[in-house]
Amino acid sequence: MCPTDTGPRAQLNQRETTIMAGMYFEEFEVGQEFRHALTRTVTEMDNTMFSLLTLNPQPLHIDAHFAEKTEFGQRIFNSLYTLGIMIGMTVYDTTLGTTVANLGMTDVTFPKPVFHGDTLRATTKVLSKRESKSRPNAGIVEFEHHALNQNDEIVGRCLRTALMHKRPA
């Protein structure tokens, strides 16, 4: 893409003179849905490394012999990493370079466990949007994200509120 390309995936950010993949506040519509193209197969190394880097010694994540005796029969993937992957897979299509900040994540649930070798994908729905009361160049968008495994089972869900840049004048 060159800097003269236009459209919701190729907006010129005048401050940095680069193309932004994300969408500006005005481009989001309530009810809009995204099925994100990025997928990710999670591995034992991902799970062990993330758990240990975040000082989470939960044996369900890092101890195969312990986990074999649980209802799952094997180690389960760290849910905070699942959350991070779910949000990360949505960024390119929605907020890359156009977010001021994430304002919060609520109603985070993990209805089914994730196991080593599962392949995750994500979907997003725009639930609401409104002008910012304190920032005239930004608006607030509420997203509902879902993570699904290779069997199309929902393995994660959250609501995310983001402060989004408006299109540069």
Side-chain angles (χ1 to χ4, degrees), residues 25 103 128-134 138-142 166:
F25 172 75
L103 301 177
S128 67
K129 67 182 261 191
R130 69 174 177 81
E131 302 279 333
S132 171
K133 294 175 184 168
S134 62
I140 296 170
V141 179
E142 182 184 27
K166 289 185 177 177

Side-chain angles (χ1 to χ4, degrees), residues 10-94:
Q11 297 299 319
L12 182 62
N13 179 325
Q14 294 175 352
R15 289 180 307 264
E16 299 175 13
T17 64
T18 59
I19 301 296
M20 294 292 111
M23 297 171 61
Y24 290 101
F25 172 75
E26 298 90 343
E27 296 175 299
F28 289 105
E29 299 294 332
V30 173
Q32 188 175 17
E33 295 186 3
F34 300 84
R35 184 180 170 134
H36 305 286
L38 291 176
T39 60
R40 174 75 152 75
T41 300
V42 299
T43 68
E44 177 182 4
M45 187 211 63
D46 296 331
N47 193 31
T48 301
M49 182 176 66
F50 183 84
S51 295
L52 296 177
L53 284 172
T54 57
L55 302 176
N56 182 346
Q58 172 54 255
L60 275 171
H61 303 313
I62 63 173
D63 185 333
H65 297 291
F66 174 89
E68 284 174 0
K69 299 174 191 149
T70 69
E71 65 186 273
F72 306 108
Q74 60 180 308
R75 286 167 288 173
I76 60 174
F77 204 71
N78 188 306
S79 58
L80 290 179
Y81 202 10
T82 301
L83 176 64
I85 290 171
M86 174 173 56
I87 299 300
M89 286 190 288
T90 72
V91 168
Y92 187 83
D93 295 327
T94 57

Side-chain angles (χ1 to χ4, degrees), residues 14 19 137 154 159:
Q14 294 175 352
I19 301 296
N137 295 330
I154 295 174
L159 301 181

Side-chain angles (χ1 to χ4, degrees), residues 9 32-39 89-90 93-94 120-125 144 146 148-152:
R9 296 285 177 266
Q32 188 175 17
E33 295 186 3
F34 300 84
R35 184 180 170 134
H36 305 286
L38 291 176
T39 60
M89 286 190 288
T90 72
D93 295 327
T94 57
L120 304 181
R121 65 178 181 86
T123 62
T124 297
K125 183 174 185 176
E144 179 180 39
H146 287 99
L148 298 95
N149 65 17
Q150 67 279 359
N151 300 316
D152 286 331

